Amino acid sequence: MATFRLQGSKVLAVDMTGDSVKAKNGSMVAYDGRMAFKKMTGGGEGIRGMVTRRLTGEEMTVMEVKGQGTCWFADRASEISVVNLRGDKLFVESSNLLCTDAGLRTGTSFTGVRGASQGNGLFTTTVAGHGQAAIMSEGPAVALRVSREHPLTVDPGAYIAHQGNVRQSFQSGVTFRTFMGEGGGEAFQIRFEGDGLVYVQPSERNTIAGDV
């Protein structure tokens, strides 16, 4: 199995001994040894994944990298975090997914109102199985614990991903920005309950939630 490690906070090094990984197309910045690259459409998700992304207008193009040596990945100087999966499932915005072990299963999941409120379509990417995945963020990502005693409410513009036995629901009404007296705030918040982790970034992406 390929080994993921960070070099600094913005470059992912992947050591391979005949293994393969799937990475965001164009994210390779250097490699040593012998590597083969193959472009894949739809993230290797099969027909269902390709169709759902076509319906939502999203584009997810990845490449398969296979070989012996080390390959380095980065994307627009984004901060990178490595997530370890042990048979569980990671839900991540497609624009925040950098690289996964080839053995991990990728797919799509319906996200309901949150996707519409962000203008990101109604589907998000899922990664499941045993292995490692690398996610990106604007600024260092923070993993926040969700427990049965302590549910978590997140601004949709700061949300990146979540994993574990977590349920999500959507709230409208008074929002973070409107509470602070700022106009054009998010019309929705995401509430997480259960047991798991939610990854957030310190820089909010632009959303259209205030207009929904």
Side-chain angles (χ1 to χ4, degrees):
M1 184 177 292
T3 300
F4 288 29
R5 54 188 174 87
L6 294 177
Q7 291 202 208
S9 62
K10 300 179 180 180
V11 177
L12 173 72
V14 181
D15 301 317
M16 289 178 274
T17 56
D19 321 281
S20 61
V21 297
K22 290 183 288 188
K24 183 175 182 179
N25 196 46
S27 62
M28 188 275 294
V29 295
Y31 71 90
D32 65 20
R34 300 180 63 179
M35 297 287 170
F37 301 88
K38 182 173 71 173
K39 185 177 180 180
M40 305 170 66
T41 302
E45 303 164 342
I47 298 298
R48 179 179 179 274
M50 294 174 67
V51 169
T52 53
R53 292 194 179 280
R54 189 172 295 122
L55 288 174
T56 59
E58 297 181 13
E59 180 180 353
M60 183 183 181
T61 305
V62 302
M63 58 182 178
E64 182 184 58
V65 184
K66 183 176 183 178
Q68 296 193 358
T70 300
C71 197
W72 288 268
F73 301 95
D75 185 55
R76 294 172 295 180
S78 297
E79 299 281 338
I80 301 171
S81 302
V82 175
V83 178
N84 294 305
L85 294 174
R86 298 177 177 86
D88 53 333
K89 182 179 291 186
L90 174 73
F91 295 79
V92 57
E93 296 298 318
S94 59
S95 60
N96 294 102
L97 183 61
L98 177 64
C99 186
T100 68
D101 279 322
L104 291 172
R105 303 182 303 278
T106 55
T108 52
S109 177
F110 182 71
T111 59
V113 176
R114 179 177 58 78
S117 71
Q118 289 184 227
N120 287 346
L122 296 177
F123 295 86
T124 194
T125 298
T126 60
V127 183
H130 293 267
Q132 293 179 299
I135 60 176
M136 300 179 292
S137 57
E138 295 182 31
V142 177
L144 301 176
R145 169 64 63 179
V146 178
S147 68
R148 289 174 174 80
E149 296 79 16
H150 299 285
L152 183 70
T153 302
V154 176
D155 188 311
Y159 169 81
I160 300 172
H162 70 273
Q163 70 181 126
N165 185 21
V166 175
R167 302 180 305 280
Q168 60 178 355
S169 58
F170 313 101
Q171 300 178 155
S172 60
V174 177
T175 64
F176 297 126
R177 289 180 184 275
T178 55
F179 182 76
M180 296 300 291
E182 300 179 12
E186 271 67 13
F188 296 94
Q189 299 170 349
I190 317 171
R191 181 179 174 87
F192 293 93
E193 299 175 276
D195 184 17
L197 295 173
V198 177
Y199 298 87
V200 297
Q201 62 183 7
S203 175
E204 291 185 296
R205 66 173 68 81
N206 292 327
T207 74
I208 63 170
D211 299 326
V212 174

